[in-house]
């Protein structure tokens, strides 16, 4: 059994709606040797607390009050990076709930604690988790400061030191190679694990490497084979849907996501993807059913998205149901007023509704309001902006459509997205306008990048960072802009010394380039410069003293 002293210094957060149970858990953690313990009565309170500080251990009740369960809570925390990889997350649940939550294998907590339990039960579970956490801590520390190259080497050291976790270290090493866009290095690790133990996630990893290399048919075949052997592998359905979408097969993508949702119906982001896929496949009945669920479930989250209402109104308008569409718009205004993009989303929804009912005066007013909101709201997705442009084109507002789509084209993450943007005008018979807007948008991005480079060339490294950071805020999905923002920030650190805030910004920019353009041949150069600066300044303290060189 774990020594009590090992728990001293660990901080814990209890997320539990009932005061009596909070007190009981608090006392048990005290008995386990923990002293730094905070409590939260709801998911929203917990999220606010986690935004201000981090915890080593989180105990979360599955049956939270207010409409959100513990699994959705964990999904939010992981997606929005509010907990570290080293955070121990325990789900506290009864036998009845356990059957529901355990199927969500892609969002596994560290462990489950089944009620009823004793302090000794908790001590044993926490002890095992602390032991594993200590083994992986050197790797997680390197990942947190962006030294993935050293983290890969540390995985090898960890597997030697802790042979009982060798498989876990190999898995993390392969995931890091994928993160760095090194599918060729990740594939043999996954292949050897699958050949040795027939582990499902290793086969999934092989499929991910094929997807990253652009071999979608081979990835599809591998995923379909995996699901033949394990019909409950949720991650495999998600990746199968992605391979279908990459090949333009909207119906097949919808079917794959629907199978996953049938197995695990509570993951909001998968539900949202299913709703979007159904809408793309013109299955409005399925889209309505799913998107209503998304709006209902998301209303209890701290990360509600007004674009969910746009997709639902879009579906209801296609179904010729103006009464329900109007009710959804009123709910959007009532529950999400004042949030970023709500004004744009509400105005666009109103334009859709008035376009269907034929109220030309209100339609014109709504399009004016949507275009004005779009000018001063920076965070709307390209999908929402594209829908606004479609409505502008359909109702004689070509200038408005051009204004919006020029922005979408500037923010296009790849050539396929640019092609989709141009298709909006081509389908309306405006091919020449599409080409002109594409030329303008590319030139505007080039000018933006050149202006940042010019500032750096004049020695104004801070000015270059400010200019490129502003460009990223406006165009967060343009890989060229994000890449050059990373370069500007790295050059600033190189010439002006380490700055913690800028160091964190660099991590965000590099992660953005990996997300948007994982096969960019200049990514290793970018990462290499970053590692040089980390070795030079050693901002993370002792972990850097012994970190292997990045090569």
């Amino acid at each position: 059994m774990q020594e009590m002293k090992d728990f001293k210094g660990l901080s814990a957060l209890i997320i539990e709606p009932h005061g009596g149970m909070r007190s009981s858990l608090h006392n048990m953690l005290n008995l386990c040797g923990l002293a730094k313990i905070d409590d939260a009565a709801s998911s929203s309170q917990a999220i606010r607390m986690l935004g201000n500080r981090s915890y080593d251990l989180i105990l979360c009740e599955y049956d939270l009050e207010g409409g959100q369960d513990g699994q959705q809570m964990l999904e939010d925390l992981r997606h929005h990076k509010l907990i570290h990889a080293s955070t121990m997350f325990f789900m506290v649940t009864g036998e009845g709930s356990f059957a529901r939550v355990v199927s969500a294998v892609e969002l596994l907590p560290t462990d489950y604690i089944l009620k009823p339990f004793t302090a000794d039960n908790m001590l044993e579970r926490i002890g095992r988790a602390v032991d594993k956490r200590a083994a992986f801590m050197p790797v997680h520390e390197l990942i947190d400061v962006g030294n993935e190259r050293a983290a890969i080497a540390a995985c090898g050291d960890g597997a030697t030191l802790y042979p009982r976790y060798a498989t876990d270290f190999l898995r993390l090493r392969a995931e890091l190679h994928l993160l760095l866009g090194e599918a060729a290095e990740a594939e043999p690790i996954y292949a050897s694990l699958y050949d040795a133990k027939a582990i499902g996630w290793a086969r999934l990893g092989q499929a991910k490497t094929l997807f990253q290399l652009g071999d979608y048919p081979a990835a599809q075949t591998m995923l379909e084979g995996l699901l033949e052997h394990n019909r409950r592998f949720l991650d495999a359905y998600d990746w199968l849907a992605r391979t279908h979408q990459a090949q333009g097969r909207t119906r097949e993508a919808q079917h794959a996501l629907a199978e996953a949702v049938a197995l695990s119906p509570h993951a909001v982001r998968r539900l949202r993807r299913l709703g979007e896929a159904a809408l793309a496949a013109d299955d409005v009945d399925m889209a309505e059913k799913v998107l209503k669920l998304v709006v209902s479930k998301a209303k209890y989250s701290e990360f509600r998205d007004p674009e969910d209402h746009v997709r639902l109104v879009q579906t209801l308008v296609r179904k010729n149901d103006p009464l329900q569409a109007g009710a959804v718009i009123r709910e959007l205004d009532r529950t999400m007023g004042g949030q970023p993009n709500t004004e744009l989303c509400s105005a666009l929804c109103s334009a859709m509704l008035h376009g269907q009912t034929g109220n030309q005066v209100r339609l014109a007013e709504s399009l004016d309001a949507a275009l004005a909101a779009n000018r001063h709201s920076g965070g709307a997705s390209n999908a929402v902006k594209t829908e606004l442009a479609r409505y502008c084109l359909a109702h004689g507002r070509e200038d408005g459509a051009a204004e919006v789509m020029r922005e979408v084209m500037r923010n296009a993450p790849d050539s396929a997205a640019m092609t989709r943007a141009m298709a909006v005008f081509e389908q309306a018979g405006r091919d020449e306008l599409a080409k002109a807007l594409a030329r303008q948008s590319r030139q505007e991005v080039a000018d933006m990048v050149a202006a940042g480079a010019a500032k750096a060339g004049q020695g104004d490294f801070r000015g270059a960072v400010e200019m490129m950071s502003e460009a990223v805020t406006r165009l967060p999905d343009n890989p060229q802009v994000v890449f050059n923002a990373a370069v500007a920030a790295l050059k600033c650190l190189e010439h002006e010394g380490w700055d913690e805030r800028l160091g964190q910004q660099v991590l965000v920019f590099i992660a953005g380039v990996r997300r948007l353009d994982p096969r960019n041949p200049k990514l290793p150069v970018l990462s290499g410069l970053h590692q040089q600066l980390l070795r030079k300044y050693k901002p993370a303290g002792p972990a850097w003293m012994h970190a292997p060189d990045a090569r």
Side-chain angles (χ1 to χ4, degrees):
M1 185 164 289
Q2 192 80 20
E3 294 285 338
M4 293 287 186
K5 61 182 173 62
D6 288 350
F7 301 149
K8 287 178 182 174
L10 292 181
S11 59
L13 174 64
I14 298 167
I15 308 170
E16 165 60 60
H18 301 293
M21 190 62 185
R22 277 200 305 277
S23 178
S24 177
L25 288 169
H26 205 114
N27 291 336
M28 285 187 186
L29 288 177
N30 280 147
L31 287 171
C32 291
L34 280 83
K36 295 185 285 188
I37 307 167
D38 289 335
D39 302 331
S42 66
S43 59
S44 56
Q45 183 186 358
I47 284 167
R48 287 192 294 272
M49 294 169 75
L50 286 160
N52 294 321
R53 63 162 297 185
S54 58
Y55 294 88
D56 301 302
L57 168 68
I58 296 173
L59 284 181
C60 181
E61 167 62 42
Y62 175 76
D63 291 310
L64 298 173
E65 293 180 348
Q68 188 176 48
D69 62 39
Q71 197 67 35
Q72 290 167 297
M73 171 79 179
L74 178 57
E75 183 184 5
D76 276 345
L77 295 179
R78 293 255 174 90
H79 182 78
H80 294 280
K81 296 181 171 57
L82 287 176
I83 56 176
H84 293 289
S86 59
T87 301
M88 298 173 287
F89 190 102
F90 285 79
M91 194 79 77
V92 181
T93 179
E95 291 281 357
S97 300
F98 181 69
R100 297 202 304 274
V101 299
V102 77
S103 66
V105 293
E106 81 281 31
L107 280 171
L108 280 177
T110 305
D111 205 348
Y112 298 95
I113 300 181
L114 293 183
K115 300 174 188 173
F117 55 89
T118 64
D120 282 343
N121 294 147
M122 185 181 283
L123 180 69
E124 184 182 353
R125 294 296 179 92
I126 295 175
R128 286 205 299 262
V130 167
D131 180 60
K132 187 171 183 179
R133 179 179 186 257
F136 280 84
M137 187 60 80
V139 181
H140 288 147
E141 284 177 344
L142 291 166
I143 293 170
D144 281 345
V145 294
N147 195 350
E148 290 87 2
R149 189 68 58 206
I152 288 170
C155 282
D157 296 339
T160 303
L161 284 169
Y162 304 98
R164 63 189 177 281
Y165 300 133
T167 299
D168 298 296
F169 277 112
L170 280 169
R171 179 180 188 173
L172 182 52
R173 184 176 150 204
E175 287 172 355
L176 287 166
H177 278 303
L178 277 181
L179 178 69
L180 293 172
E182 298 170 350
E185 285 78 0
E187 197 280 333
I189 300 173
Y190 286 127
S192 64
L193 283 168
Y194 186 75
D195 291 344
K197 301 182 178 182
I199 305 170
W201 57 253
R203 197 63 161 171
L204 177 66
Q206 284 183 281
K208 287 182 187 179
T209 63
L210 291 168
F211 184 94
Q212 195 173 93
L213 292 167
D215 191 349
Y216 305 125
Q220 178 188 327
T221 300
M222 190 170 283
L223 290 163
E224 287 169 343
L226 182 55
L227 286 167
E228 281 178 19
H229 290 94
N230 182 359
R231 303 304 303 180
R232 300 188 63 83
F233 203 148
L234 296 172
D235 266 4
Y237 288 108
D238 290 336
W239 279 90
L240 181 58
R242 289 181 68 176
T243 61
H244 284 312
Q245 285 167 333
Q247 297 172 88
R249 298 184 182 134
T250 53
R251 284 277 181 190
E252 290 85 348
Q254 177 190 338
H255 180 70
L257 289 167
E259 288 198 59
V261 164
L263 292 168
S264 178
H266 301 294
V268 174
R269 283 174 188 83
R270 184 182 294 116
L271 279 168
R272 184 179 287 128
R273 291 196 299 273
L274 174 56
E276 291 168 351
L279 201 54
D282 210 28
D283 184 348
V284 288
D285 290 328
M286 171 68 84
E288 178 189 6
K289 177 184 171 184
V290 172
L291 291 169
K292 280 181 175 174
L293 265 177
V294 171
V295 168
S296 171
K297 287 178 177 292
K299 80 168 65 164
Y300 303 108
S301 169
E302 287 292 291
F303 306 103
R304 291 176 298 168
D305 186 350
E307 295 194 10
D308 290 331
H309 292 72
V310 175
R311 285 182 280 268
L312 180 53
V313 168
Q314 195 177 354
T315 303
L316 292 167
V317 165
R318 281 200 204 173
K319 286 197 75 176
N320 195 26
D321 192 343
L323 287 178
Q324 275 205 80
V328 172
I329 296 168
R330 288 192 293 277
E331 184 198 15
L332 169 60
D333 292 336
R334 186 179 69 253
T335 60
M336 300 183 71
Q339 281 198 213
N341 301 322
T342 295
E343 189 181 352
L344 168 58
C345 290
S346 177
L348 175 56
C349 286
S350 296
M352 293 176 185
L353 177 58
H354 298 313
Q356 184 197 38
T357 58
N359 189 331
Q360 296 302 315
V361 173
R362 297 291 300 278
L363 169 63
E365 291 171 354
S366 296
L367 286 176
D368 284 340
L371 288 167
N374 183 58
R375 291 182 197 112
H376 63 74
S377 69
S381 71
N382 281 351
V384 160
K385 292 178 180 179
T386 300
E387 200 58 32
L388 172 57
R390 282 190 212 281
Y391 267 79
C392 286
L393 272 178
H395 297 283
R397 303 289 293 272
E398 189 175 282
D399 288 350
E403 172 191 329
V404 175
M405 288 310 289
R406 191 182 296 114
E407 188 180 339
V408 170
M409 289 174 175
R410 285 200 305 259
N411 197 29
D414 51 38
S415 58
M418 178 67 85
T419 301
R420 287 194 298 273
M422 292 176 71
V424 172
F425 292 94
E426 290 165 354
Q427 287 160 8
R430 301 306 316 273
D431 298 48
E432 288 307 313
L433 179 57
K435 290 172 185 171
L437 288 172
R439 282 194 301 272
Q440 288 172 22
S441 64
R442 289 190 182 104
Q443 190 57 52
E444 285 165 3
V445 169
D447 291 345
M448 211 179 286
V449 170
K455 276 197 176 293
Q458 294 158 7
D460 184 3
F461 298 104
R462 288 278 168 189
V465 170
E466 287 171 14
M467 182 175 284
M468 292 312 301
S469 297
E470 186 181 333
V472 170
T473 302
R474 288 170 55 202
L475 307 174
D477 291 330
N478 185 299
Q480 186 184 356
V481 169
V482 180
F483 181 89
N484 282 278
V487 171
L490 287 166
K491 290 293 182 185
C492 187
L493 290 172
E494 184 180 27
H495 287 89
E496 299 194 0
W498 188 259
D499 174 276
E500 186 59 34
R501 186 190 63 80
L502 193 54
Q504 290 299 316
Q505 214 172 350
V506 164
L507 288 177
V508 173
F509 290 151
I510 293 176
V513 178
R514 286 178 185 147
R515 173 178 64 86
L516 295 165
D517 192 12
R519 283 180 274 177
N520 186 327
K522 294 181 181 176
L523 246 178
V525 177
L526 203 64
S527 297
L529 179 55
H530 183 221
Q531 305 311 321
Q532 286 173 25
L533 293 173
L534 290 169
R535 287 200 304 277
K536 178 180 177 181
Y537 296 117
K538 298 180 172 58
W544 282 105
M545 298 297 196
H546 308 291
D549 282 354
R551 289 193 176 91

